[in-house]
Amino acid sequence: MKKTLLFLLLAMASAPAAFAQNRPGGEMSSKDFTGGGVTSSRNTGFGIKGGYNLNGLRGDDISGINRNSRSDFHAGVYGQLGFNEFSSIQTELLYSRQGFEANTGAGGARQRFRMDYVMLPIMYVGNVTETISFHVGPQVSLLTNIRNNEQTLDIAANGFNSFDFGGVGGLEARVGPARVGARYNLSLGKIFEDGNTKAGAFANSKLYNNLLQVYVGIGFTQ
């Protein structure tokens, strides 16, 4: 897993230089491209992005938990590779703060969990219009830190699953170099490991992250 992440990071870092070598003299919009292969239209480039997270819980065992969603943020970088005026592939590397609140402490005390993930979505991007596109694809995430109220917890010792996977889908609008979008993350990896009694009140529970993201970004075409 670590080797795969390292390979993808190196690919993202080297992509802008490779794109720049193929750039013609004039600027093109995504609708001006008429040839084949990789285009230097605005479907190809890189940038930065960040925004709002609203994360909660979903799953078979959610009915017995008095819980609230957590509001936080995410931020990161992306690289995009265009194939024609409609299609491109976009890869992102994001730091995402998520979590939830639940009355599962001693005597029903409120517990506020903050979970820090590193996310790697790889998405197909399709241009619906000149300014609107849809994004869909798989995503893997690595849990790097977790806190309960103000206390930092050991991930494995408290029954948390350090690896998550699933899919993402959303819409994005572009005006010049600016991007605004919304995305839903469908998590398929359980928050807590199966059969791990160290998870306390969450032991053997089938619970998943339920994440909505709204973001803004700045892109640089190649």
Side-chain angles (χ1 to χ4, degrees), residues 29-133:
S29 76
S30 61
K31 298 299 182 182
D32 293 330
F33 180 72
T34 58
V38 176
T39 174
S40 59
S41 76
R42 68 176 185 166
N43 283 345
T44 294
F46 61 98
I48 58 175
K49 59 176 296 187
Y52 171 75
N53 280 352
L54 180 62
N55 189 78
L57 298 176
R58 65 173 181 84
D60 297 340
D61 300 324
I62 199 172
S63 59
I65 300 176
N66 182 3
R67 79 281 177 191
N68 285 329
S69 299
R70 178 186 176 96
S71 297
D72 223 304
F73 76 95
H74 68 279
V77 296
Y78 70 86
Q80 188 174 5
L81 175 63
F83 298 108
N84 53 45
E85 75 272 18
F86 181 81
S87 299
S88 59
I89 296 294
Q90 181 167 307
T91 301
E92 300 178 357
L93 185 64
L94 304 174
Y95 166 72
S96 180
R97 279 191 179 180
Q98 299 167 211
F100 62 94
E101 299 181 8
N103 289 341
T104 53
R110 196 73 169 167
Q111 298 190 89
R112 295 176 175 84
F113 291 94
R114 192 192 93 188
M115 300 180 290
D116 298 347
Y117 285 93
V118 175
M119 292 180 160
L120 185 68
I122 303 175
M123 301 165 293
Y124 171 79
V125 179
N127 291 336
V128 179
T129 69
E130 183 71 20
T131 58
I132 304 295
S133 61

Side-chain angles (χ1 to χ4, degrees), residues 76-222:
V77 296
Y78 70 86
Q80 188 174 5
L81 175 63
F83 298 108
N84 53 45
E85 75 272 18
F86 181 81
S87 299
S88 59
I89 296 294
Q90 181 167 307
T91 301
E92 300 178 357
L93 185 64
L94 304 174
Y95 166 72
S96 180
R97 279 191 179 180
Q98 299 167 211
F100 62 94
E101 299 181 8
N103 289 341
T104 53
R110 196 73 169 167
Q111 298 190 89
R112 295 176 175 84
F113 291 94
R114 192 192 93 188
M115 300 180 290
D116 298 347
Y117 285 93
V118 175
M119 292 180 160
L120 185 68
I122 303 175
M123 301 165 293
Y124 171 79
V125 179
N127 291 336
V128 179
T129 69
E130 183 71 20
T131 58
I132 304 295
S133 61
F134 67 87
H135 299 204
V136 62
Q139 175 175 273
V140 294
S141 302
L142 184 66
L143 180 61
T144 60
N145 183 56
I146 187 162
R147 300 182 69 177
N148 180 5
N149 296 326
E150 298 303 319
Q151 180 183 4
T152 299
L153 303 179
D154 182 273
I155 295 173
N158 288 274
F160 286 86
N161 195 345
S162 61
F163 180 72
D164 192 10
F165 65 96
V168 298
L171 294 174
E172 181 180 274
R174 290 189 287 184
V175 180
R179 299 176 174 227
V180 179
R183 180 181 300 170
Y184 176 69
N185 294 254
L186 177 64
S187 175
L188 300 177
K190 297 182 183 69
I191 296 177
F192 300 95
E193 294 181 351
D194 289 334
N196 196 324
T197 58
K198 299 177 182 179
F202 300 104
N204 301 315
S205 60
K206 296 179 180 178
L207 299 174
Y208 305 84
N209 285 306
N210 195 39
L211 176 63
L212 175 67
Q213 294 178 317
V214 180
Y215 64 87
V216 296
I218 297 293
F220 309 93
T221 58
Q222 293 290 330

